[in-house]
Amino acid sequence: MFRKTTVPTISNGSYLEEQSNGRLVSVCNTKAVQGDKVVLKKKITFLRGVSIIIGTIIGAGIFISPKGILENTGSVGMSLTVWTVCGILSLFGALCYAELGTSIKKSGGHYTYILEAFGPLPAFVRVWVELLIIRPAATSVISLAFGRYILEPLFMQCEIPDLAVKLITAVAITLVMVLNSMSVSWSARIQIFLTFCKLVAILIIIVPGVMQLIKGETQHFKDAFVGNAASVKGLPLAFYSGMYAYSGWFYLNFVTEEVENPERNIPLAICTSMVIVTVGYVLTNVAYFTTISPEDLLMSKAVAVTFSERLLGSFSLAVPIFVALSCFGSMNGGIFAVSRMFYVASREGHLPEILSMIHVRKHTPLPAVIVLHPLTMIMLFTSDIYSLLNFLSFARWLFIGLAVAGMIYLRYKRPDMPRPFKVPLFIPALFSFTCLFMVALSLYADPVNTGIGFAITLTGVPAYYLFIIWDKKPRWFRRLLGWITSSLQIILEVVPEEDKEIS
């Protein structure tokens, strides 16, 4: 296992002690450790929780290309219906996670809930795929969108060079990881500011749209359900696009241990965020249709730009900046939340122990944050990132569905578990079916790439037996791992979290 490491005592301004059970304990800056408990502190208030959820759900899609649903439904009325239904289904999933987050008060999100319900193997596979492929690829994609739109005002008359986009993207990724490594409070404050910018950007679209409706610009809503009939294949794909647009409602559950009064704030933040996002998405699409015909919307490369050019004139130049800020907020919220999954997985012995250590002064999970940096940089400059996302898009719904099914299982396995917030059983049942439908749809729509993604996911099974179950690793390997751990502790000034009770 990752934790079974034996190293000698070291002294170099810091010292390490080997306890009888073989666990390595490092003390850097003894005064800081003794004077202030080294733990992840509860700094996520209700407002910060709302900003994490909204800030990670709303990316560039609603501003640039919200046409996947219209494309597959064939009419304005049906597209608005799908946007609304997907928002309600996402709210159901969020309510399930509200129950899980208030009954299992551990950070880690999907990983923790799968671990509690079904044991270590599926939980390890989840975090394995997230660390190696999904999170670096997803971070690279949203970061590339940031790089492209932050540079667009400087390249109005010509094509933006790919190298310039990747360089500014690399700087942005580094900045976000430095920010999350240095201060939980500052990363949360910046997330609130960026979420505010996103909501302002949406209001800049909604308010003129409402004014257009008042003026009687309703021609695109007449016979709203008349158009190209949605095909048997097209309607499910529209739901797939819609559910993807709302994904991100689960991120607050990744930081449960840092939420103040989680029994109150987790359900309240989740419900508030989902209502705001659903209403915002639907009204934004209504606003688009007051000015842009369905045909023009499908042809537009950036719908918000087209809309603002027609109604707001030169103010449309600000749209790329708002899109870039939106992407930056998604980057910040995603890295802030997912680093806690790696932190908890390390604490459970499923990842190297260094990832469960905390900076002695900053009280941030520094190693769990920066571990993503080299992997993300490699993917940014070497990989076909979009293909990787196609390979593994089904994995998100597979494991979310598994976590929600685990909630149903825990109702029977552990009926006496405290549940401060409890949802009717039909909600997790319906949402589990929705996730199963999404996985099946992935196989139907793109069997080759989904099959490759499934094969990549299955590599977590032999990895689990090699790294976790097999405990007779060579002595030189254990010594090397111990030396690397102790060296990184000294360099990064991190120590294991002081023991605390987590219910």
Side-chain angles (χ1 to χ4, degrees), residues 386-438:
Y386 295 95
S387 293
L388 287 172
L389 284 183
N390 289 334
F391 293 159
L392 295 158
S393 61
F394 86 101
R396 166 179 284 171
W397 297 111
L398 175 65
F399 287 108
I400 289 176
L402 192 61
V404 174
M407 189 189 93
I408 299 173
Y409 176 63
L410 288 172
R411 289 272 186 100
Y412 295 96
K413 180 184 176 184
R414 296 164 66 179
D416 298 328
M417 175 189 288
R419 292 177 173 86
F421 181 86
K422 192 173 181 179
V423 298
L425 198 59
F426 83 90
I427 290 180
L430 177 61
F431 190 75
S432 294
F433 174 79
T434 301
C435 293
L436 181 65
F437 171 76
M438 300 292 284

Side-chain angles (χ1 to χ4, degrees), residues 443-503:
L443 287 166
Y444 172 71
D446 193 355
V448 175
N449 284 339
T450 303
I452 294 172
F454 186 66
I456 293 173
T457 302
L458 288 180
T459 62
V461 176
Y464 174 76
Y465 286 97
L466 177 63
F467 294 118
I468 307 303
I469 298 300
W470 182 43
D471 57 359
K472 295 182 179 179
K473 298 179 178 64
R475 187 174 181 182
W476 65 265
F477 177 80
R478 290 185 280 118
R479 284 181 175 273
L480 176 63
L481 187 60
W483 178 81
I484 292 172
T485 300
S486 60
S487 299
L488 288 174
Q489 284 185 256
I490 294 169
I491 293 168
L492 300 176
E493 293 187 307
V494 294
V495 296
E497 180 184 39
E498 294 187 23
D499 290 338
K500 65 177 180 179
E501 185 177 342
I502 303 171
S503 55

